Amino acid sequence: MGAAAGWLAVRLLEKSRAHRLAENRLESVEEAAAEAILRIDGEGVITAWSPGAEALYGYASDEIVGRPVGALLTEPETLGERLTDEVMEQRRRDGNVFTASATAIPVESGETIVVARDVGELRRITDQFRSAEATYRSLTEHLPVVTYVRSFTGERETTFV
């Protein structure tokens, strides 16, 4: 009986150490990451807030921890189960809405870890690039001249006629 109790105590101690190590690693990642990393409990309340989250949303940790995650989302029901790079509208402290890519990962403790990053600027630049490319193609296809594009480096191959 004593051996079984001793073995059980050792297993619990090992599990506790592993849990503390995992928590420390996660906290290190949260501190170093440029992305917003936040933890949400099973009730939808924010329980942890990274420096990246502070920079992205504008809330200091002590202002937002304990508040519902719905304060950040324009559509609160969109965050619940596992998400991977889901693009959604979110709200900053000043009320401005921005486009973010969010990944939500439920963990064993019942919490959900959310990683978010602003993709609005990237989307705007991509749209501008596509528009400029479409304008260029339209011009070159309708002008009564021959137009071509050659690579600047290497064998200087023609890439568009």
Side-chain angles (χ1 to χ4, degrees):
M1 207 62 174
W7 178 82
L8 185 58
V10 168
R11 293 291 298 153
L12 288 173
L13 185 61
E14 288 173 357
K15 194 167 199 131
S16 176
R17 280 188 195 140
H19 181 73
R20 278 195 312 270
L21 179 62
E23 281 291 321
N24 288 339
R25 286 181 178 164
L26 180 58
E27 287 173 6
S28 296
V29 169
E30 288 173 349
E31 291 296 319
E35 288 83 7
I37 301 175
L38 50 145
R39 294 189 216 183
I40 304 165
D41 68 12
E43 303 296 318
V45 175
I46 299 168
T47 60
W49 192 254
S50 73
E54 186 172 330
L56 181 62
Y57 293 100
Y59 289 99
S61 181
D62 59 347
E63 289 179 287
I64 194 75
V65 170
R67 291 183 57 191
V69 71
L72 305 175
L73 305 173
T74 58
E75 297 177 29
E77 66 278 353
T78 59
L79 196 60
E81 61 226 34
R82 185 178 190 90
L83 301 174
T84 303
D85 286 332
E86 184 76 22
V87 176
M88 60 181 65
E89 299 296 313
Q90 298 191 17
R91 186 173 289 111
R92 289 190 168 90
R93 182 175 187 254
D94 62 8
N96 287 333
V97 174
F98 68 100
T99 305
S101 172
T103 299
I105 307 159
V107 292
E108 289 179 14
S109 67
E111 282 187 320
T112 300
I113 297 173
V114 178
V115 179
R117 62 187 164 90
D118 188 346
V119 293
E121 184 65 22
L122 177 62
R123 291 179 94 190
R124 282 188 292 281
I125 290 170
T126 300
D127 289 345
Q128 288 175 350
F129 173 74
R130 285 186 182 138
S131 175
E133 186 175 14
T135 300
Y136 172 76
R137 285 203 182 267
S138 177
L139 282 171
T140 58
E141 290 171 0
H142 294 96
L143 288 175
V145 296
V146 174
T147 313
Y148 65 95
V149 176
R150 258 180 19 186
S151 67
F152 184 71
T153 59
E155 309 229 352
R156 298 181 54 117
E157 297 175 9
T158 301
T159 58
F160 173 77
V161 176

